[in-house]
Amino acid sequence: EPEVTQTPSHQVTQMGQEVILRCVPISNHLYFYWYRQILGQKVEFLVSFYNNEISEKSEIFDDQFSVERPDGSNFTLKIRSTKLEDSAMYFCASIRGSTDTQYFGPGTRLTVL
Amino acid sequence: AQSVSQHNHHVILSEAASLELGCNYSYGGTVNLFWYVQYPGQHLQLLLKYFSGDPLVKGIKGFEAEFIKSKFSFNLRKPSVQWSDTAEYFCAVSRNFGNEKLTFGTGTRLTIIP
């Protein structure tokens, strides 16, 4: 069964550094999402992406965040200057069509020191 | 904006006990409803979903959920739990149009004692 994959599984970085989290959605999927889960808290929506542009973004997704689909397979989340409070599990998700179910990747645990 | 409440933060049951996890949402329009499960060290997996039709939906691994519109609820049930059901369970809602984002509840940690 096709799966959403994410790399790396764990990223440790220093505060102020840039990080790029990578996702490979399921190949025929068209809509892409990033969510995050701070330890002990609920999963929160960050951004959705369709047709090479952002469809919706949350208040969390400020100017420090950006997303890109640089080629036909990868979907990336960049944090330009990480803060301690960016430490969280980041999940990528994708769906094929607008009435489909979102499939989640295994997550990337980001630790900002 | 929509929101989801899961009132049970941690539930501990013995094997073979019956399970019901509560989920309530708030949104004035039509919604899609989901239950996701996260086993230790694994990613979120869909247990079941409701888009329309029969309000009693059956999912994988013997789980079912009932959508009660008047109560804005979508409780998850299983008649007899197993040790392997130990996991975190998340209720989620999305608006019923387009490729809408999911709004999650805080999750319920379920621990099954053998």
Side-chain angles (χ1 to χ4, degrees):
Chain A
E1 184 178 329
E3 290 183 340
V4 177
T5 59
Q6 290 184 244
T7 55
S9 57
H10 191 190
Q11 173 92 44
V12 181
T13 189
Q14 295 290 325
M15 189 170 57
Q17 295 296 303
E18 175 184 286
V19 294
I20 298 176
L21 309 183
R22 290 183 168 79
C23 168
V24 179
I26 296 173
S27 63
N28 62 350
H29 284 194
L30 301 174
Y31 301 84
F32 314 109
Y33 307 81
W34 284 101
Y35 294 83
R36 79 171 186 191
Q37 184 181 26
I38 295 171
L39 188 64
Q41 298 184 26
K42 63 182 177 181
V43 178
E44 301 172 289
F45 167 76
L46 291 178
V47 65
S48 58
F49 191 86
Y50 169 69
N51 202 25
N52 283 320
E53 58 183 32
I54 290 174
S55 305
E56 185 179 357
K57 58 184 181 179
S58 71
E59 292 175 354
I60 304 167
F61 194 89
D62 61 22
D63 291 344
Q64 293 300 311
F65 290 87
S66 63
V67 289
E68 196 177 33
R69 189 156 161 80
D71 53 42
S73 58
N74 289 282
F75 178 50
T76 62
L77 174 69
K78 182 193 289 185
I79 309 175
R80 288 189 185 81
S81 178
T82 50
K83 307 184 197 102
L84 295 175
E85 54 264 38
D86 293 328
S87 294
M89 191 75 132
Y90 288 80
F91 294 103
C92 173
S94 69
I95 61 171
R96 184 178 58 206
S98 59
T99 58
D100 200 1
T101 303
Q102 291 185 28
Y103 290 84
F104 283 80
T108 292
R109 181 171 298 284
L110 176 65
T111 302
V112 183
L113 302 175
Chain B
Q2 59 269 38
S3 66
V4 179
S5 297
Q6 291 182 248
H7 304 294
N8 313 108
H9 296 295
H10 190 189
V11 172
I12 303 172
L13 294 172
S14 298
E15 273 194 316
S18 65
L19 169 73
E20 181 159 3
L21 301 182
C23 172
N24 288 92
Y25 69 93
S26 68
Y27 180 66
T30 307
V31 294
N32 297 327
L33 294 154
F34 307 82
W35 276 97
Y36 281 85
V37 61
Q38 189 175 30
Y39 297 104
Q42 297 189 27
H43 59 280
L44 289 161
Q45 300 173 40
L46 182 71
L47 267 181
L48 48 77
K49 63 186 179 185
Y50 173 81
F51 282 4
S52 63
D54 189 345
L56 183 63
V57 291
K58 295 192 184 299
I60 60 171
K61 306 189 183 196
F63 286 91
E64 66 178 31
E66 184 175 13
F67 170 49
I68 303 179
K69 190 174 181 180
S70 60
K71 295 184 178 180
F72 296 89
S73 70
F74 190 58
N75 292 353
L76 181 71
R77 299 194 292 248
K78 185 170 184 179
S80 176
V81 293
Q82 302 170 302
W83 177 80
S84 57
D85 293 325
T86 295
E88 188 102 19
Y89 291 80
F90 295 93
C91 181
V93 64
S94 71
R95 294 183 299 181
N96 187 18
F97 55 87
N99 54 322
E100 288 293 309
K101 66 185 181 192
L102 294 174
T103 298
F104 284 86
T106 51
T108 297
R109 189 194 314 169
L110 176 65
T111 302
I112 305 300
I113 302 169

